């Protein structure tokens, strides 16, 4: 019997469906037809919640979902382990029913597990047995809840973290809700339009050989043979996510996470993190050390603090009609193993996209319903106690080509604050001042604005905030302090004058100031492993870019790294090893980590050629925005800059793991390098950027480059002496 037919029968859609599926049909997601009352059964040491669609058992001792107890219409979702929040309730644990379905006609059930844990002592070290930030001896009360409602194809879960002022200092480096090692039938991963793909099997993954880092393996068998599987290939900007998860090409079932709001996620609108990866893993981080943003929190003794994460929604769906792959398609698929261009049957792709697109559509309703009226007994303001902050940003920049603000993003964050926690929270180049991209302590509220600058930020909690904004084509960001939001009182800020900083007259620019490298060559495929190896063959003479003639989309690579000096990494059977997505990597020598042979490169120098109409005077200011950097610490030569053959300085940018972990949009920083404008001559000029020899995953991920000259004829601000326009300049006022 057809897989979709079997599942449809389970869903109660009728036997007539099998006849309709005898003919080819576009995949269709099964509507929710079950409307049974929610039941809640007390098992003594656990509860079982069931609405006829989803069934789950929650353990009272720690608030985890019991082993092999989460099912969707009888399909075991996680048969291999308990599923949980990263930090679970500890200390004095109390389990209670917070919504009893017996009192509401079976409309909703909710259970709570709360740990009162004043404890004391430091956070647990990352010793490999506990996640960084798990509390060793308490210091934080944790309450976890699970909610199931009638007729809903999924469940909600949320957690409140409380730190009374009397508790010792405490915090988290990493914290997340996770479903891991899901049913092995889940073989299709969905992140976005590009990363929607059939995944390698666990068996092939385990046979692979580690290269460069424990998360990376050269696959020696299976569909993606001669490729490297890397879990960090499946990262995403949390703010932009709609729904992400896994589905089964066999059973046509999907499981997806949806964040109804991003207010509780550290790092704000730029937080990049892992969201799902091989071995059927689904992740929803609210703090982590990945990519140096929203990296953790630290609550000092004396501060009374609470943070509610979620409710997040775990959505499940199924097809009631699915396309079948023909025997010919399956034969072609089998023959394509390891080719670099796997011929995944179109039917499988159509089925998986139907499930994912349904989850994306579902996310609209889930997000629109926020905040949820049924959340009670936590620090969670309902709709009437929140507010909308609106206004219009007006760009005031005589040198801008347009006053439009494409991809405008506007947000409210906690004012900058001081933390001496070190570790995850303050190690990323801001000293002891925590700024919004690194803040994991407090709520943030972000919204997309329109090209004409209008914005509305909804559902803002009462509090004291700083308004921030950034947009494509505008270097830097807007900031306005002292925004006070009161419960139920909307605020219209009116027109806000945005004057981006200019240090002189603009001479030229490369790229678009948009906080990522998408527009540069191969930037749209940043997530694929190994571009630092391939760079040297894509640009054998390195980059020479002529202002006014070159095209940054083709002539400027998205990352500048040491130039590989070997081609031993190439699969000799690959048709196009420099451009194909998969199958271009040579097989390892036994179990040897081939990075020792492949991973080094010579110094790389890029050259920018440009003309000047006359000899210059005054101060030249080179402005560089980076979407990521690795390995150019102060004890290295850094990114060396030269003008017409003379060294003018070097940058030692903040390291963000962007190159090591496959991204072109990590935490964003801008830098300035000043030099005597007299070095610029009439006619032809050159500027060089040199990355030193070393590991090919060191270097920079480019966002934008601009040259400005202040000849004294107009008044301009003086660039910061430390070359860091965004560097906090001391304690917040």
């Amino acid at each position: 019997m057809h897989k979709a037919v079997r599942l449809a029968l389970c869903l109660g859609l009728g036997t007539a469906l099998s006849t309709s599926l005898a003919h080819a049909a576009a995949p269709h997601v099964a509507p929710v037809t079950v409307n049974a009352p929610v039941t809640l059964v007390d098992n003594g040491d656990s509860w079982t919640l069931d609405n006829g669609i989803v069934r789950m058992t929650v353990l009272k001792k720690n608030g985890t979902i019991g082993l092999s107890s989460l099912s969707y219409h009888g399909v075991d979702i996680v048969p291999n382990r308990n599923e949980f929040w990263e930090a679970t309730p500890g200390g004095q644990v109390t389990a209670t029913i917070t919504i009893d379905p017996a009192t509401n006609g079976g409309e909703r059930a909710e259970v709570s597990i709360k740990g009162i844990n004043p404890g004391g002592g430091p956070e647990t070290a990352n010793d490999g047995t506990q996640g960084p930030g798990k509390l060793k001896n308490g210091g934080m009360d944790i309450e976890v809840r699970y909610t199931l409602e009638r007729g809903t194809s999924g469940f909600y879960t949320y957690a409140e973290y409380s730190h009374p002022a009397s508790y010792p200092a405490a915090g988290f480096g990493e914290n997340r809700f996770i479903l891991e090692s899901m049913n092995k039938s889940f073989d299709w991963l969905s992140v976005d339009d590009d990363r929607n793909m059939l995944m390698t099997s666990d068996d092939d993954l385990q046979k692979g050989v580690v290269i460069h880092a424990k998360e990376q393996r050269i696959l020696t068998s299976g569909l993606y043979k001669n490729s490297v599987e890397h879990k960090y290939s499946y990262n995403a900007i949390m703010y932009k996510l709609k729904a992400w998860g896994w589905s089964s090409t066999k059973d046509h079932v999907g499981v997806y996470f949806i964040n109804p709001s991003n207010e509780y996620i550290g790092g704000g609108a730029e937080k990049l993190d892992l969201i799902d990866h091989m071995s059927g893993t689904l992740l929803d981080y609210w703090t982590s050390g990945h990519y140096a943003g929203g990296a953790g929190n630290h609550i000092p003794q004396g501060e009374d603090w609470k943070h509610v994460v979620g409710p997040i929604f775990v959505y499940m769906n199924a097809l009631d009609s699915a396309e079948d792959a023909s025997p010919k398609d399956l034969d072609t698929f089998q023959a394509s193993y390891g080719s670099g261009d796997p011929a995944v049957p179109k039917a499988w792709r159509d089925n998986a996209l139907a499930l994912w697109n349904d989850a994306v559509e579902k996310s609209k309703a889930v997000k629109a319903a926020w905040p949820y009226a049924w959340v009670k007994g936590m620090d969670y303001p309902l709709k009437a106690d929140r507010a909308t902050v609106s206004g219009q940003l007006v760009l005031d920049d005589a040198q801008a080509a347009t006053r439009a603000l494409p991809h405008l993003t506007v947000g409210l964050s906690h004012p900058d604050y001081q933390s001496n926690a070190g570790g995850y929270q303050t190690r990323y180049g801001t000293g002891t001042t925590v700024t919004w991209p690194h803040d994991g302590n407090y709520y943030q509220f972000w919204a997309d604005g329109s090209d004409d600058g209008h914005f509305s930020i909804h559902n803002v909690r009462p509090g004291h905030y700083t308004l921030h904004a950034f947009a494509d084509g505008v270097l830097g960001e807007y900031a306005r302090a002292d925004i006070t939001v009161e419960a139920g009182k909307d605020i219209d800020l009116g027109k806000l004058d945005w004057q981006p900083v200019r240090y002189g007259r603009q001479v030229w620019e490369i790229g678009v100031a948009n906080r990522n490298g998408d527009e540069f060559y191969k930037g749209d495929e940043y997530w694929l492993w190994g571009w630092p190896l391939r760079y040297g063959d894509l640009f054998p003479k390195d980059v020479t870019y002529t202002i006014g003639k070159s095209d940054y989309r083709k002539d400027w690579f998205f990352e500048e790294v040491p130039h590989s000096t070997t081609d031993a990494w190439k699969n000799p059977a690959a048709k196009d090893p420099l451009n194909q997505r998969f199958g271009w990597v040579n097989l390892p020598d036994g179990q040897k980590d081939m990075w020792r042979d492949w991973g080094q490169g010579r110094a790389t120098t890029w050259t920018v050629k440009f003309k000047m109409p006359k000899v210059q005077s005054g101060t030249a200011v080179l402005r560089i925005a980076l979407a990521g950097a690795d390995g150019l610490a102060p004890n290295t030569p850094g990114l060396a800059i030269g003008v017409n053959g003379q060294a003018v300085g070097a940058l030692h940018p903040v390291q963000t793991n962007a190159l090591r972990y496959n991204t072109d949009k990590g935490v964003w920083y801008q830098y300035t390098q000043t030099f005597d404008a007299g070095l610029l001559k009439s006619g032809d000029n050159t500027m060089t950027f040199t990355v030193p020899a070393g590991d090919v995953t060191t270097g920079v991920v480019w966002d934008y480059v601009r040259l400005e000259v202040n000849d004294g004829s107009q008044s301009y601000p003086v660039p910061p002496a430390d070359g860091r326009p965004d560097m906090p300049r001391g304690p917040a006022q």
Side-chain angles (χ1 to χ4, degrees):
M1 185 185 292
H2 192 291
K3 295 282 187 181
V5 175
R6 291 205 305 268
L7 186 59
L9 296 178
C10 175
L11 293 171
L13 299 179
T15 57
L17 183 60
S18 61
T19 302
S20 66
L21 282 175
H23 304 286
H28 180 265
V29 174
V32 177
T33 59
V34 176
N35 194 34
V38 181
T39 61
L40 175 60
V41 176
D42 192 331
N43 307 310
D45 60 354
S46 65
W47 289 291
T48 297
L49 296 78
D50 193 341
N51 67 356
I53 305 168
V54 176
R55 188 175 189 272
M56 60 193 301
T57 296
V58 178
L59 306 183
K60 294 181 180 180
K61 64 180 181 180
N62 56 12
T64 64
I65 300 174
L67 176 67
S68 198
S69 73
L70 176 61
S71 64
Y72 169 66
H73 284 297
V75 177
D76 192 348
I77 302 299
V78 281
N80 302 306
R81 50 168 276 167
N82 293 347
E83 304 302 324
F84 55 87
W85 289 83
E86 179 88 8
T88 55
Q92 182 181 344
V93 177
T94 303
T96 58
I97 298 172
T98 45
I99 302 178
D100 188 345
T103 66
N104 58 35
E107 289 302 309
R108 187 182 308 275
E110 183 179 85
V111 296
S112 162
I113 299 87
K114 183 172 183 177
I116 304 298
N117 197 10
E123 297 176 55
T124 302
N126 185 11
D127 59 5
T129 61
Q130 300 183 74
K134 278 198 172 182
L135 299 174
K136 184 176 184 179
N137 294 310
M140 193 81 73
D141 298 340
I142 301 174
E143 180 178 3
V144 172
R145 294 186 183 183
Y146 295 90
T147 310
L148 193 62
E149 59 188 10
R150 181 199 291 260
T152 296
S153 190
F155 67 91
Y156 294 90
T157 183
Y158 56 119
E160 182 178 61
Y161 303 87
S162 303
H163 179 274
S166 61
Y167 280 18
F172 299 97
E174 288 190 0
N175 208 339
R176 60 191 176 174
F177 180 70
I178 182 171
L179 296 182
E180 190 171 12
S181 298
M182 293 197 296
N183 192 314
K184 287 190 176 182
S185 71
F186 288 97
D187 55 359
W188 191 284
L189 176 147
S190 294
V191 176
D192 51 28
D193 290 336
D194 200 31
R195 290 168 293 177
N196 234 299
M197 56 192 290
L198 186 68
M199 291 294 286
T200 190
S201 71
D202 275 350
D203 290 342
D204 289 328
L205 182 65
Q206 295 306 316
K207 293 175 186 175
V209 177
V210 170
I211 179 169
H212 194 207
K214 64 181 181 179
E215 303 94 349
Q216 304 170 184
R217 289 176 182 263
I218 301 177
L219 300 178
T220 59
S221 60
L223 175 64
Y224 297 109
K225 180 181 177 181
N226 291 99
S227 304
V228 172
E229 180 56 65
H230 187 195
K231 74 178 185 181
Y232 288 95
S233 293
Y234 312 108
N235 59 57
I237 299 291
M238 303 289 286
Y239 169 71
K240 296 181 179 180
L241 282 171
K242 298 175 181 177
W244 69 99
W246 287 81
S247 59
S248 167
T249 59
K250 300 179 181 67
D251 295 327
H252 310 305
V253 176
V255 180
Y256 305 92
F257 280 0
I258 297 171
N259 275 321
S261 169
N262 279 75
E263 67 184 51
Y264 45 80
I265 294 175
E270 290 201 303
K271 176 56 178 169
L272 180 76
D273 221 317
L274 305 182
I275 58 166
D276 49 13
H277 58 75
M278 61 275 197
S279 301
T281 300
L282 258 174
L283 305 161
D284 196 357
Y285 280 96
W286 68 277
T287 60
S288 85
H290 302 132
Y291 301 107
N297 63 31
H298 180 83
I299 313 303
Q301 185 171 4
E303 180 173 354
D304 193 1
W305 174 91
K306 291 185 178 181
H307 199 82
V308 176
V309 179
I312 66 173
F313 185 53
V314 182
Y315 180 57
M316 303 174 197
N317 58 4
L319 299 180
D320 60 14
S321 69
E323 294 183 20
D324 279 330
S326 68
K328 181 180 178 181
D329 287 344
L330 294 175
D331 289 343
T332 301
F333 170 60
Q334 188 72 31
S336 71
Y337 274 36
S339 68
D341 187 21
V344 176
K346 180 178 180 298
W348 292 3
R349 182 174 298 278
D350 290 346
N351 293 336
L353 291 181
L355 290 166
W356 178 65
N357 286 330
D358 173 66
V360 169
E361 187 65 25
K362 179 66 175 179
S363 74
K364 297 177 183 178
V366 171
K367 292 172 184 285
W370 182 272
Y372 301 126
W374 44 265
V375 176
K376 303 289 175 59
M378 281 192 173
D379 183 28
Y380 182 86
L382 301 183
K383 189 76 173 180
D385 294 319
R386 295 175 181 243
T388 295
V389 177
S390 60
Q392 182 184 15
L393 286 154
V394 179
L395 186 64
D396 182 6
D397 182 359
Q399 297 193 54
T402 175
R403 297 185 73 182
L405 295 169
H407 296 122
L408 174 64
T409 306
V410 188
L412 292 165
S413 74
H414 191 280
D416 292 352
Y417 59 94
Q418 296 299 301
S419 173
N420 293 310
Y424 281 93
Q425 195 173 31
T426 57
R427 63 180 175 144
Y428 298 117
T430 55
T432 59
T433 303
V434 179
T435 57
W436 68 262
H438 303 299
D439 176 29
N441 284 18
Y442 304 108
Y443 298 104
Q444 298 189 33
F445 303 86
W446 292 85
D448 294 339
S450 60
D451 286 6
D452 65 0
H454 282 95
F455 65 90
S456 292
I457 308 171
H458 300 289
N459 297 317
V460 181
R461 288 167 169 260
H464 186 61
Y465 300 99
T466 297
L467 183 77
H468 300 273
F470 52 90
D472 287 3
V474 183
L475 182 58
E477 71 176 48
Y478 173 90
R480 173 177 166 174
D482 299 323
I483 307 294
T484 299
V485 176
E486 299 180 52
K489 295 183 179 180
D490 295 343
I491 300 174
D492 185 352
L493 297 173
K495 290 188 176 182
L496 304 172
D497 185 49
W498 185 357
Q499 299 183 37
V501 175
R502 295 275 184 171
Y503 298 118
R505 173 182 55 84
Q506 180 173 315
V507 179
W508 50 257
E509 64 182 351
I510 300 173
V512 178
N514 58 7
R515 301 186 174 228
N516 64 64
D518 284 3
E519 72 270 25
F520 298 126
Y521 190 59
K522 297 298 185 184
D524 58 344
E525 295 183 293
Y526 67 88
W527 58 276
L528 293 166
W529 183 90
W531 287 120
L533 289 179
R534 294 197 270 188
Y535 158 74
D537 279 8
L538 288 167
F539 291 86
K541 296 182 180 180
D542 293 323
V543 168
T544 297
Y545 189 94
T546 302
I547 300 295
K549 293 183 179 179
S550 298
D551 182 348
Y552 59 77
R553 299 169 186 84
K554 299 183 297 183
D555 302 322
W556 190 273
F557 198 58
F558 77 98
E559 55 187 26
E560 183 176 355
V561 295
H563 191 119
S564 175
T565 54
T566 179
D567 279 343
W569 47 265
K570 285 185 183 178
N571 173 13
K575 293 181 179 180
D576 186 5
L578 302 186
N579 295 290
Q580 67 189 53
R581 287 194 166 190
F582 308 107
W584 58 271
V585 181
N586 209 350
L587 292 181
D589 181 6
Q591 294 296 306
K592 180 180 179 181
D593 182 351
M594 299 308 297
W595 200 255
R596 287 171 287 180
D597 296 335
W598 300 351
Q600 295 297 307
R602 63 165 172 78
T604 296
T605 296
W606 289 12
T607 302
V608 178
K609 294 183 176 181
F610 59 100
K611 293 182 180 294
M612 298 295 291
K614 61 181 181 179
V615 175
Q616 302 294 302
S617 61
T619 301
V621 184
L622 180 66
R623 305 188 66 179
I624 294 176
L626 297 177
D630 283 302
L632 301 179
N635 61 344
T636 73
L639 179 68
I641 302 167
V643 176
N644 290 327
Q646 182 170 327
V648 296
L651 301 184
H652 297 93
V654 177
Q655 300 188 57
T656 64
N657 291 329
L659 293 123
R660 183 180 178 88
Y661 289 158
N662 293 10
T663 187
D664 75 334
K665 49 174 64 70
V667 174
W668 179 89
Y669 292 95
Q670 62 167 314
Y671 305 88
T672 60
Q673 178 62 60
T674 60
F675 59 92
D676 183 355
L679 292 176
L680 301 173
K681 57 188 180 181
S682 176
D684 294 335
N685 291 263
T686 62
M687 182 174 292
T688 56
F689 303 100
T690 300
V691 167
D695 189 298
V696 298
T697 58
T698 60
V700 300
V701 180
W702 292 99
D703 168 33
Y704 178 71
V705 187
R706 178 196 292 171
L707 178 63
E708 299 175 347
V709 173
N710 180 1
D711 62 3
S713 61
Q714 297 184 50
S715 176
Y716 289 102
V718 176
D722 60 8
R724 292 285 305 280
D726 300 320
M727 183 72 174
R729 303 298 166 186
Q733 300 299 313

